[in-house]
């Protein structure tokens, strides 16, 4: 069963006076439970594609359907609802709220969903334990290392049992050993919780973890075949 | 909700220096406003009270047209029942009767015009401060009645070149148009601080006055003192009702101090209006001073807002978080401002502010050399409320800016 | 070059610059405009006070001021008047009057008034009565029965033009003199108190009634510029016998007015400082922000070998731009508003009784004083630069290493 279906998506940006075509006629299907990497050099359109899957950005043309929802038919607040409950995000850097502690960052999403306070705390602590951050619950992001911050971000992304987690170059700011650790945790979550992961990267090591590689170059998919 | 508040509060303190500067600006405005408003109200209180005490009293009962025309013939013909009736009202402290006539006053060397006021010495002392204003000689109650005592103002004494014990001749017209003339002996000289009053009034016992001016027992004013300004309106209503039931009462009217001195309340309103314009502009300057802080708080966190929107926070909620932030800052500023403003005002309320340099001007308005600011709920909260409203209005602009943010652009923002 | 860089820098964040400029503009505007408004009230009071039979300089017989009685009059004023006239600037006006307190009476009312004997032609340009009457006609010189009274007095006495009015006063021999006049005209003044206080008759009528021959009570001088009163008074005093006569300026005659001006000057400085303080928070905060977000840049400039004082100067130039532009706009706004209101003034007659109580007229014509404008601008620009020295010093102190470590 597919969780992401993209048909004929185009996206053009205007940078100053120059128009850049970021995506050209993209067709893509991702199956539920995948652990897929969008690979390509910088400027190839990886981030744009992820943003469009996540509903953060709107394509100029084409259809996007995620977890059974056709984006074209949805309102702004409907999109926020979908992102809140069904999609998790991990960004390259600085994606935690600096004024909240690790556990509060994880709780924040559940609070938006209206989960009650006690349950919130229990689940947040449990998920932080799972990503290996026992004892770091009350540290603010500034007091955590880059790898630890990204693990909090992963915990935040999966805590509400989303259908899909989108990670834009999650390891880009980490050294290779820490990056590998993060990928192992992501893979573990993928296996244990059957959450679909799509992440972008240009790093060979990271690609080697993916069970499916989607190569993108100059806004076009070169090879969309599953490796499984 | 709880978490939004917590986040807002922590965000406030992310940049302590900036926050303190903003809080100081708000607090500063509150302190100035509280102090100045209390100062203004304090001086109004002094003005009203001294004018009431020296002159008009809280309420007066007069013949229907006496206030407008000041004619000798418009009298309260039988003051006795009216005085008894007024005295019986709760919160009325004292009642006295007066009669007025403009006459020529002559000493040995000089002649001048004066308002001759007949007062009942005993009750006058309870209603007005006249007795305490006597600087030389003695008040009418202590003077020998047979000597036909008269009390005159400091400036009149100077103009007529008379002192205590000197004789004055009064020449005027009685109620019936006959010639009214008598000789008086100066028993005391008063200084009220109001030049006009000290130059042009002469007080004598009411019974002598009634005899000299053929009043046949009538008076012009019945002056009522109540226990405080807030009792004036209720007592006035009761008095008016009682007058209606009295025989001949329909030709009488009750006037309060505000009607008796229309210029005074208007001068106060004018001063207050000018004050409000000044203070409103001050608050506006403060508002623009802090608008940049609020804007910065939004712009430097644009990326963060992008992330929050990406993980599912609705823009409306972000607007609220920003408003919590700016309101938290404002409330801290206002709280500190009120505390310090009240403290400063309270201190000056007790020691007073010496304005002796300005005493000549203030005398004209009946204010003595020191002014005591009057702290009240209104003066303590009106200014800060204005600050709160204006600051909140100002903070809406940056907060609403968030609504138009798009997550992707926001996250690209550095 | 520094100036060009500073100029471009303040427009890197136009919204922020415009906001802080707006604070400066409102601040300066309120300083200048409200001061002009208040000045207008005070000037009006002074003009009124001087025109109400005071004059810039007055000459009396010694003793008249403390005892304004008929016996302290100027006897045989001819030679004195000539000496005074000889020492006046060309644009000055002079009038001699008789002035005595009197009782006005008709069939129904009586009141204390000041009886003034004048020559209407002489009073032109000296006092308000020289401007003529509002209704009816001016008294005729030498006429023994003409009298001009104020509108408020006329109403109080329930009388009208053509009716009789009796005046009583003591004459030179201390006898009660009484004379009947006929109301010929009505004057109106800005203050009701003035209308109730003065009645005007011809000099000869007053002299006849009071039995004082050709004597007068006072000589009043009006100048084009009130500030020159002291100089003119000194010159006159040097020329006449100061044993027999006193020379006084309006400042001495109306100490209240002088006191008002002093209080007002103090109040203006206070108001300027308060408004400035309100601006200071914004100026410091905005400059701090502008400095902190460019710390890397300053570090880089330092690394390139720029000296700290040049960085300090660069930041101060930026603040100076904001202050100067804000000040220019604030001044322009205030000046054009005062100009637009002009001589029509702002009519606040809803507070008329309040103004009367305070001795002012209820039409306010804002008046700009150069000194106030200079002070307002100096306070904002100089102190503004002083306070922005703190953020500027922060920028100047940064070391390249520290700067690169920030982000």
């Amino acid at each position: 069963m597919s969780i992401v279906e993209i048909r004929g998506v185009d996206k053009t940006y205007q940078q100053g006076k120059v128009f850049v075509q970021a995506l050209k006629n993209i067709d893509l299907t991702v199956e539920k439970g995948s652990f897929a990497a969008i690979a390509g050099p910088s400027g190839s359109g990886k981030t744009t594609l992820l943003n469009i899957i996540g509903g953060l950005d709107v394509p100029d043309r084409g259809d996007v359907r995620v977890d059974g929802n056709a984006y074209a038919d949805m309102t702004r607040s409907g999109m926020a609802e979908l992102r809140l409950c069904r999609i998790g995000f991990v960004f390259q850097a600085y994606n935690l709220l600096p004024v909240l502690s690790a556990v509060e960052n994880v709780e924040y999403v559940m609070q938006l969903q209206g989960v009650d306070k006690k349950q919130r705390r229990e689940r947040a602590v449990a998920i932080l334990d799972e990503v290996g951050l026992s004892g770091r619950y009350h540290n603010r992001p500034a007091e955590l290392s880059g790898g630890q911050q990204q693990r909090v971000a992963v915990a935040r992304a999966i805590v509400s049992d989303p259908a899909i987690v989108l990670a834009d170059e999650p390891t880009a700011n980490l050294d290779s050993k820490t990056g590998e650790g993060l990928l192992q945790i992501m893979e573990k979550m993928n296996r244990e919780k059957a959450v679909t992961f799509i992440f972008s990267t240009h790093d060979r090591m990271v690609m080697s973890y993916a069970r499916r590689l989607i190569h993108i170059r100059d806004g076009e998919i070169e090879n969309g075949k599953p490796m499984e | 909700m709880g978490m939004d508040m917590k986040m807002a509060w922590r965000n406030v303190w992310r940049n302590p220096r900036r926050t303190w500067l903003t809080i100081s600006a708000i607090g500063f405005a509150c302190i100035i406003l509280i102090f100045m408003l209390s100062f203004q109200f304090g001086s109004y209180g002094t003005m009203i009270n001294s004018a009431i005490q020296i002159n008009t009293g809280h309420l007066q009962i007069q013949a229907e047209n006496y206030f407008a025309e000041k004619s000798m013939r418009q009298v309260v013909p039988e003051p006795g029942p009216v005085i008894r009736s007024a005295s019986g009202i709760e919160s009325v402290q004292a009642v006295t009767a007066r009669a007025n006539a403009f006459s020529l006053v002559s000493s040995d060397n000089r002649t001048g015009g004066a308002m001759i006021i007949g007062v009942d010495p005993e009750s006058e002392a309870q209603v007005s401060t006249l007795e305490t204003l006597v600087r030389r000689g003695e008040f009418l109650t202590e003077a020998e009645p047979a000597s036909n005592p008269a009390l005159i103002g400091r400036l009149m004494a100077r103009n007529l070149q008379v002192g205590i014990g000197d004789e004055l001749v009064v020449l005027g017209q009685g109620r019936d148009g006959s010639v009214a003339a008598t000789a008086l002996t100066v028993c005391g000289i008063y200084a009220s601080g109001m030049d006009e009053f000290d130059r042009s009034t002469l007080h004598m016992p009411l019974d002598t006055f009634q005899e000299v001016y053929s009043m046949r027992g009538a008076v012009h004013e019945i002056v009522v003192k109540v226990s405080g300004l807030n009792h004036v309106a209720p007592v006035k209503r009761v008095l008016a009702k009682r007058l209606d039931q009295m025989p001949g009462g329909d030709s009488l009217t009750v006037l309060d101090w505000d009607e008796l001195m229309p210029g005074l309340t208007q001068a106060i309103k004018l001063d207050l209006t000018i004050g409000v314009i000044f203070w409103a502009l001050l608050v506006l300057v403060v508002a623009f001073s802090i608008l940049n802080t609020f804007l910065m708080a939004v712009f430097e966190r644009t990326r963060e807002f992008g992330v929050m929107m990406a993980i599912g926070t609705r823009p409306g909620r972000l607007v609220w978080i920003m408003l919590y932030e700016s309101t938290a800052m404002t409330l801290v500023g206002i709280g500190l401002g009120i505390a310090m403003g009240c403290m400063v005002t309270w201190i000056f309320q007790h020691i007073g502010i010496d304005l002796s340099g300005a005493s000549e001007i203030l005398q004209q308005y009946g204010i003595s050399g020191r002014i005591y600011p009057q702290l009240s709920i209104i003066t303590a909260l009106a200014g800060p409320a204005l600050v709160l409203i204006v600051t909140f209005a100002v903070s809406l602009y940056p907060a609403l800016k968030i609504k138009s943010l798009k997550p992707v652009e926001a996250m690209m923002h550095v | 070059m520094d100036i060009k860089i500073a100029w471009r820098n303040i427009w890197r964040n136009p919204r922020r610059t415009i906001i802080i400029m707006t604070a400066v503009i409102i601040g300066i505007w309120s300083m200048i405009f409200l001061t002009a408004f208040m000045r207008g009230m005070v000037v009006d009071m002074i003009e009124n006070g001087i025109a109400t039979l005071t004059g810039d300089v007055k000459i009396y017989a010694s003793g008249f001021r403390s005892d304004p009685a008929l016996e302290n009059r100027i006897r045989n004023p001819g030679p004195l008047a000539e000496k005074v006239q000889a020492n006046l600037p060309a644009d000055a006006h002079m009038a001699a009057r008789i002035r005595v307190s009197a009782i006005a009476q008709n069939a129904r009312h009586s009141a204390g008034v000041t009886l003034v004997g004048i020559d209407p032609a002489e009073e032109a340009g000296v006092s308000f009565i020289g401007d003529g009457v509002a209704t009816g006609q001016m008294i005729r010189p030498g006429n023994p029965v003409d009298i001009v009274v104020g509108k408020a007095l006329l109403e109080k006495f329930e009388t009208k033009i053509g009716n009789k009015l009796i005046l009583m006063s003591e004459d030179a021999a201390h006898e009660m003199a009484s004379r009947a006049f006929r109301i010929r005209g009505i004057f109106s003044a800005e203050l009701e108190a003035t209308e109730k206080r003065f009645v005007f008759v011809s000099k000869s009528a007053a002299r006849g009634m009071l039995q004082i021959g050709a004597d007068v009570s006072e000589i009043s001088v009006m100048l084009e510029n009130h500030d020159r009163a002291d100089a003119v008074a000194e010159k006159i005093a040097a020329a006449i016998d100061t044993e027999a006569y006193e020379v006084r300026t309006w400042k001495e005659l109306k100490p209240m007015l002088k006191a008002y001006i002093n209080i007002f000057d103090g109040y203006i400085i206070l108001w300027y400082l308060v408004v400035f303080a309100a601006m200071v928070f914004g100026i410091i905060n905005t400059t701090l922000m502008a400095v902190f977000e460019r710390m890397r840049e300053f570090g880089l400039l330092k690394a390139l070998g720029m000296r700290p004082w040049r960085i300090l100067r660069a930041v101060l130039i930026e603040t100076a731009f904001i202050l100067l532009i804000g000040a220019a706009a604030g001044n322009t706004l205030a000046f054009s508003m005062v100009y637009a209101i002009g001589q029509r003034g702002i009519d606040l007659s809803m507070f008329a009784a309040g103004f009367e109580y305070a001795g002012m007229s209820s039409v306010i014509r804002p008046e700009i004083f150069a000194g106030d404008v200079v002070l307002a601008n100096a306070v904002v620009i100089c102190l503004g630069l002083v306070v922005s020295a703190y953020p500027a010093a922060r920028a100047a102190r940064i070391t390249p290493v520290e700067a690169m470590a920030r982000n």
Side-chain angles (χ1 to χ4, degrees):
Chain A
M1 203 179 112
S2 63
I3 189 146
V4 176
E5 277 180 72
I6 293 178
R7 293 285 164 265
V9 161
D10 281 356
K11 179 72 187 176
T12 306
Y13 283 114
Q14 190 180 359
Q15 276 182 338
K17 286 174 186 155
V18 192
F19 287 89
V20 182
Q21 185 153 28
L23 296 176
K24 292 173 197 159
N25 197 23
I26 299 279
D27 290 320
L28 176 67
T29 308
V30 178
E31 296 302 315
K32 203 164 191 165
S34 297
F35 196 67
I38 300 174
S42 62
S44 58
K46 302 187 297 285
T47 303
T48 308
L49 183 54
L50 275 178
N51 284 343
I52 283 179
I53 297 173
L56 297 175
D57 211 345
V58 187
D60 300 335
R61 195 178 64 82
D63 297 321
V64 183
R65 185 177 279 272
V66 171
D67 196 30
N69 301 287
Y71 283 5
D73 304 337
M74 294 177 72
T75 60
R76 212 172 130 110
S77 92
M79 284 302 311
E81 188 71 26
L82 181 75
R83 282 202 299 271
L84 182 59
C85 301
R86 305 302 294 156
I87 306 176
F89 286 93
V90 178
F91 301 103
Q92 192 172 333
Y94 310 119
N95 63 50
L96 299 179
L97 302 181
V99 292
L100 298 182
S101 66
V103 71
E104 285 168 338
N105 260 290
V106 178
E107 278 183 64
Y108 182 74
V109 183
M110 288 187 279
Q111 195 234 349
L112 293 175
Q113 291 167 341
V115 177
D116 78 68
K117 206 171 174 177
K118 191 159 159 275
Q119 214 185 343
R120 229 155 62 192
R121 180 55 58 104
E122 278 169 12
R123 278 167 64 183
V125 167
I127 202 94
L128 284 174
D129 288 343
E130 282 183 62
V131 298
L133 285 174
S134 311
R136 293 301 207 159
Y137 311 135
H138 298 297
N139 291 68
R140 297 259 183 112
E143 298 157 353
L144 297 171
S145 70
Q148 288 169 327
Q149 285 186 35
Q150 287 300 67
R151 278 191 268 173
V152 176
V154 170
R156 183 182 66 188
I158 59 172
V159 71
S160 52
D161 293 321
I164 184 167
V165 171
L166 304 171
D168 186 13
E169 306 226 24
T171 61
N173 283 26
L174 307 178
D175 61 64
S176 61
K177 195 158 159 272
T178 319
E180 221 164 328
L182 184 74
L183 277 163
Q184 281 160 6
I185 282 164
M186 285 167 59
E187 198 189 12
K188 181 174 143 217
M189 295 296 132
N190 169 254
R191 266 187 285 109
E192 289 176 2
K193 297 183 186 285
V195 181
T196 311
F197 272 79
I198 304 177
F199 51 92
S200 65
T201 187
H202 58 264
D203 185 336
R204 293 247 157 250
M205 182 276 290
V206 179
M207 288 179 212
S208 71
Y209 275 84
R211 292 200 297 278
R212 178 183 171 189
L213 269 177
I214 303 156
H215 282 285
I216 186 164
R217 179 176 290 275
D218 298 331
E220 287 175 295
I221 291 178
E222 294 185 323
N223 157 14
K225 290 196 184 70
M227 302 201 304
E228 295 157 282
Chain B
M1 191 66 149
M3 201 167 213
D4 287 353
M5 297 261 192
K6 188 155 66 177
M7 278 175 67
W9 181 250
R10 288 182 189 169
N11 275 321
V12 164
W13 297 106
R14 268 166 89 167
N15 192 331
R17 176 177 28 221
R18 191 161 73 201
T19 299
W20 276 119
L21 275 168
T22 307
I23 287 176
S24 313
I26 294 169
F28 167 79
C30 291
I31 294 172
I32 295 279
L33 261 51
I34 290 174
F35 183 78
M36 290 312 293
L37 265 182
S38 301
F39 180 83
Q40 283 180 298
F41 276 99
S43 53
Y44 303 155
T46 317
M47 274 164 79
I48 294 172
N49 281 326
S50 52
I52 283 175
Q53 283 169 1
I54 293 175
N55 217 339
T56 64
H58 289 109
L59 291 161
Q60 286 190 7
I61 299 156
Q62 304 178 345
E64 196 74 64
N65 288 324
Y66 181 73
F67 181 67
E69 293 167 14
K70 291 272 157 40
S71 155
M72 271 297 275
R73 293 176 309 246
Q74 287 149 338
V75 295
V76 180
E78 282 184 55
V82 182
I83 292 175
R84 273 193 299 282
S85 169
S87 308
I89 299 173
E90 203 187 341
S91 72
V92 168
Q93 285 186 332
V95 184
T96 191
R98 292 180 195 152
N100 310 309
F102 180 81
S103 301
L104 213 56
V105 181
S106 313
S107 63
D108 284 349
N109 305 325
R110 295 282 182 269
T111 298
M115 185 54 77
I116 313 294
I117 306 173
V119 297
D120 172 44
E122 304 282 343
S123 55
E124 182 67 31
Q126 289 165 359
V127 169
S128 73
T129 48
L130 187 61
E131 183 177 11
T132 62
L133 296 176
V134 175
R135 298 285 182 264
R136 278 170 31 220
E138 51 205 6
F139 188 59
L140 296 169
T141 38
E142 286 143 48
E144 180 62 44
S147 69
N148 265 354
L151 205 56
I152 62 173
R154 173 180 66 92
L155 294 173
M156 183 183 291
R158 199 187 76 183
N159 288 346
L160 292 177
Q161 298 183 326
V162 292
I164 307 295
D166 288 347
E167 193 167 274
L168 293 175
V169 174
V170 172
L171 184 70
Q173 218 171 14
R175 182 185 165 194
D176 54 4
S178 62
V179 172
T182 187
L184 301 169
T185 314
V186 176
C187 69
I189 292 170
Y190 51 81
S192 66
M194 294 198 225
D195 287 355
E196 185 58 28
F197 189 77
D198 291 349
R199 175 168 35 235
S200 64
T201 57
L202 180 154
H203 290 75
M204 63 190 280
L206 181 62
D207 41 8
T208 324
F209 183 100
Q210 286 173 326
E211 225 172 89
V212 172
Y213 288 91
S214 322
M215 293 296 284
R216 294 195 301 275
V219 298
H220 290 118
E221 302 162 353
I222 290 166
V223 187
V224 179
K225 184 189 184 190
V226 299
S227 44
L229 285 179
N230 48 338
H231 293 291
V232 170
V235 171
K236 187 183 175 191
R237 273 196 298 277
V238 177
L239 258 179
K241 210 178 290 166
R242 291 195 181 183
L243 280 184
D244 277 346
Q245 290 156 359
M246 219 172 269
D250 49 350
S251 67
L252 301 181
T253 183
V254 189
L255 299 170
D256 58 32
W257 62 270
D258 187 13
E259 293 165 303
L260 292 163
M261 300 179 283
L264 179 59
T265 22
Q266 272 211 15
I268 288 173
K269 278 188 198 144
L270 172 67
D271 188 74
L272 197 59
T273 309
I274 293 178
V276 167
I277 294 172
F278 272 71
W279 311 137
L281 280 170
L282 180 68
V283 172
L284 204 61
V285 174
V286 170
F288 274 94
S289 267
I290 59 182
L291 177 56
N292 263 341
T293 318
F294 292 162
L295 267 179
M296 267 317 271
V298 172
F299 285 111
E300 67 184 8
R301 295 219 306 276
T302 304
R303 215 192 130 82
E304 207 175 304
F305 293 134
V307 171
M308 289 173 84
M309 282 195 271
I311 63 175
T313 315
R314 292 210 180 81
R317 189 164 186 147
L318 291 178
V319 171
W320 277 110
I321 294 180
M322 274 322 291
L323 288 178
Y324 289 149
E325 266 188 61
S326 48
T327 310
M329 251 191 265
T330 310
L331 287 178
V332 172
I334 286 182
L336 290 176
I338 291 180
M340 288 175 67
C342 288
M343 205 171 72
V344 171
T345 311
W346 186 83
I347 291 171
F348 279 102
Q349 188 167 338
H350 284 81
I351 61 176
I353 299 164
D354 187 16
L355 288 177
S356 44
S359 56
E360 273 172 285
I361 292 178
L362 297 173
Q363 268 185 16
Q364 189 191 10
Y365 301 113
I367 299 176
S368 56
R370 262 172 192 276
I371 289 193
Y372 297 87
Q374 199 63 51
L375 194 59
S376 69
I377 298 284
I378 294 177
T379 60
L381 297 183
L386 179 68
V387 175
L388 183 65
I389 292 166
V390 174
T391 316
F392 186 78
V394 160
S395 66
L396 277 177
Y397 166 63
L400 289 175
K401 284 243 110 178
I402 301 175
K403 265 202 141 150
S404 58
L405 281 182
K406 294 207 176 65
V408 176
E409 286 162 23
M411 281 191 298
M412 305 253 266
H413 199 277
V414 205
Chain C
M1 188 62 185
D2 283 349
I3 288 177
K4 190 153 64 176
I5 292 173
W7 177 252
R8 288 190 186 160
N9 269 327
I10 64 171
W11 296 111
R12 273 161 78 164
N13 192 331
R15 175 167 24 217
R16 187 165 67 204
T17 302
I18 286 170
I19 286 174
I20 192 63
M21 264 183 199
T22 310
V24 175
I25 292 170
I26 298 176
I28 293 226
W29 169 79
S30 68
M31 285 176 177
I32 296 177
F33 183 74
L34 292 183
T35 309
F37 183 86
M38 303 294 280
R39 285 280 188 209
M41 284 165 69
V42 172
V43 165
D44 186 70
M45 256 169 83
I46 294 172
E47 294 288 348
N48 250 335
I50 292 179
T52 308
L53 305 186
T54 301
D56 288 305
V57 180
K58 221 178 214 182
I59 298 105
Y60 309 110
S62 299
F64 184 82
R65 245 197 111 211
S66 56
D67 181 17
L70 210 50
E71 62 197 46
N72 291 324
R73 63 185 182 270
I74 302 173
R75 287 161 218 263
N76 185 21
L80 176 69
E82 269 167 37
K83 276 186 208 154
V84 171
Q85 183 76 64
N87 285 288
L88 290 183
D91 53 6
H93 298 270
M94 181 182 105
R97 343 185 155 100
I98 296 131
R99 171 183 183 132
V100 65
S101 71
I103 314 271
Q105 204 165 30
N106 68 3
R108 312 182 59 177
H109 300 269
S110 58
V113 294
T114 301
L115 166 66
V116 189
I118 55 163
D119 175 352
E122 227 179 36
E123 293 292 335
V126 179
S127 70
F128 73 92
I129 197 66
D131 298 339
V133 290
T135 323
Q137 259 140 14
M138 183 45 85
I139 46 176
R140 288 161 287 196
N143 185 290
V145 296
D146 286 354
I147 188 166
V148 161
V149 302
K151 194 159 151 278
L153 188 85
L154 194 85
E155 280 160 12
K156 188 181 166 196
F157 272 53
E158 300 173 87
T159 182
K160 60 179 198 293
I161 291 180
N163 283 5
K164 244 173 42 172
L165 189 72
I166 295 168
L167 289 185
M168 292 190 297
S169 184
E170 249 182 303
D171 66 16
H174 291 298
E175 295 298 323
M176 189 52 68
S178 156
R179 189 179 269 220
F181 290 89
R182 197 165 291 281
I183 299 172
R184 183 167 163 86
I186 307 162
F187 71 86
S188 58
E190 302 219 37
L191 294 182
E192 215 180 271
T194 307
E195 293 181 351
K196 281 188 179 160
R197 183 165 166 207
F198 295 107
V199 298
F200 296 94
V201 301
S202 70
K203 270 191 213 174
S204 62
R207 282 170 176 155
M209 174 177 164
L210 302 168
Q211 310 280 332
I212 53 171
D215 300 349
V216 296
S217 307
E218 63 188 27
I219 294 172
S220 179
V221 172
M222 190 68 128
L223 304 171
E224 285 294 304
N225 182 351
H226 305 313
D227 294 335
R228 281 167 56 201
D230 289 322
V232 172
E234 259 173 54
K235 213 170 151 202
I236 294 172
I240 63 175
D241 174 9
T242 45
E243 291 276 304
Y245 304 110
E246 271 180 64
V247 182
R248 294 277 179 248
T249 65
W250 65 272
K251 290 177 207 167
E252 297 163 293
L253 297 169
K254 298 267 173 185
M256 286 269 290
L257 287 181
K258 186 74 188 115
Y260 256 118
I261 296 172
N262 288 346
I263 287 196
F264 189 68
D265 286 344
Y267 183 76
I268 284 179
I269 294 177
L270 207 69
W271 168 243
Y272 284 1
L273 289 178
V274 166
V275 173
F276 174 74
M279 269 188 251
V280 157
F281 299 103
I283 294 174
I284 297 188
N285 241 347
T286 308
T287 319
L288 269 177
M289 283 178 214
V291 161
F292 276 112
E293 66 186 17
R294 295 213 319 263
M295 273 305 185
R296 285 178 73 99
E297 218 171 293
F298 292 125
L300 187 74
L301 292 172
K302 271 256 181 107
L304 291 176
M306 195 186 243
R307 304 217 170 267
W309 68 266
R310 279 203 65 166
I311 294 180
L312 189 92
R313 198 180 66 170
V315 176
L316 288 180
I317 293 176
E318 287 175 34
T319 316
F321 263 132
I322 292 177
L323 292 170
L324 286 171
I325 295 174
N331 281 297
T332 310
L333 194 62
F335 274 84
S336 46
M337 276 181 77
V338 170
Y339 179 77
I341 293 164
Q343 282 306 303
R344 275 179 298 121
I346 303 168
D347 188 356
L348 292 178
S349 38
M350 55 187 173
F351 295 113
F355 279 108
E356 175 79 30
Y357 191 88
M360 293 180 237
S361 86
S362 59
V363 175
I364 296 167
R365 298 175 190 88
E367 197 141 332
I368 290 181
F369 277 42
D372 297 341
V373 176
V374 171
L375 185 64
N377 286 292
V379 164
V380 171
I381 292 169
C382 298
L383 294 184
L385 283 175
V386 169
V387 296
S388 63
Y390 163 64
R394 294 288 305 237
R397 274 212 316 265
I398 190 94
T399 66
V401 181
E402 277 168 356
M404 295 306 162
R406 311 176 77 101
N407 58 57

